Amino acid sequence: MTDPRTPPPPDAPPPPPPDTDAAASPAAPEWYAAGLRFSCTQCGNCCSGPPGFVWFNETEGRAMAEALGEEVAEFYRQHARRIGVRWSLKERQTRFGRDCVFLDRTTAPGKALCGVYSARPTQCRTWPFWPGNLESREDWERVRGVTPCPGMGQGTLYPVEQIRIIRDEAAGAD
């Protein structure tokens, strides 16, 4: 089973072309047209779980290295792994599952903090507004339960326009 928090691998087949009739008709409003609520609770569940991938690009790699005060080459040696032609952050086994190498569960007891928060990759910055999570209300609820993410459905109301921007940024990172 694929981890719902992980975007498809780089060698995944492209989605099928849109139905010509559907493409010609006006798009139906998104199921989340009234917006969605989300507020990070710092539980760390989206940064842990079964083995997965935290994709990042060269610019993001340099930014994370800078945030850590490390040379770029050292950052890649210590914290990254190559998967095909892409880069992913390393993970480490904990009692919670496979935690992102930058997930800090000790500094603030009861919280899970990101060690590179200001420079975190697009994949992390756009959670939970990934295209696959937004396909349907059922997908949103499934991911909310599987992750589990206590912040989905709580807190700040994100208007549909903002969700589209975040969703499209996440889609562009693939």
Side-chain angles (χ1 to χ4, degrees):
M1 183 165 142
T2 304
D3 182 355
R5 296 164 295 169
T6 303
D11 57 350
D19 181 329
T20 310
D21 294 335
S25 64
E30 292 98 338
W31 66 266
Y32 49 89
L36 290 170
R37 292 191 178 277
F38 173 69
S39 184
C40 180
T41 64
Q42 297 179 325
C43 68
N45 292 347
C46 60
C47 307
S48 187
F53 306 100
V54 181
W55 302 116
F56 66 93
N57 62 35
E58 185 179 334
T59 301
E60 293 168 331
R62 282 194 309 272
M64 287 186 281
E66 184 177 324
L68 294 167
E70 295 179 358
E71 293 294 323
V72 173
E74 181 64 15
F75 168 83
Y76 278 87
R77 265 193 306 280
Q78 295 262 337
H79 311 292
R81 60 191 171 121
R82 195 158 192 65
I83 311 290
V85 298
R86 297 175 74 186
W87 287 96
S88 177
L89 294 177
K90 289 182 179 177
E91 300 168 310
R92 63 176 180 268
Q93 186 65 48
T94 70
R95 67 184 178 96
F96 300 96
R98 304 281 304 165
D99 281 4
C100 172
V101 68
F102 294 120
L103 190 60
D104 173 3
R105 295 182 184 272
T106 58
T107 300
K111 298 287 183 187
L113 307 175
C114 178
V116 292
Y117 187 82
S118 64
R120 67 196 186 284
T122 299
Q123 179 177 333
C124 305
R125 282 185 290 110
T126 58
W127 171 263
F129 302 113
W130 295 349
N133 297 352
L134 296 170
E135 297 227 351
S136 69
R137 183 177 306 280
E138 293 77 21
D139 286 329
W140 179 262
E141 292 301 328
R142 179 184 55 77
V143 170
R144 179 180 179 184
V146 170
T147 303
C149 181
M152 291 171 75
Q154 308 295 319
T156 304
L157 178 63
Y158 284 77
V160 68
E161 297 82 8
Q162 188 175 7
I163 294 169
R164 287 177 186 144
I165 291 167
I166 297 168
R167 175 202 62 201
D168 294 349
E169 180 182 4
D174 287 346

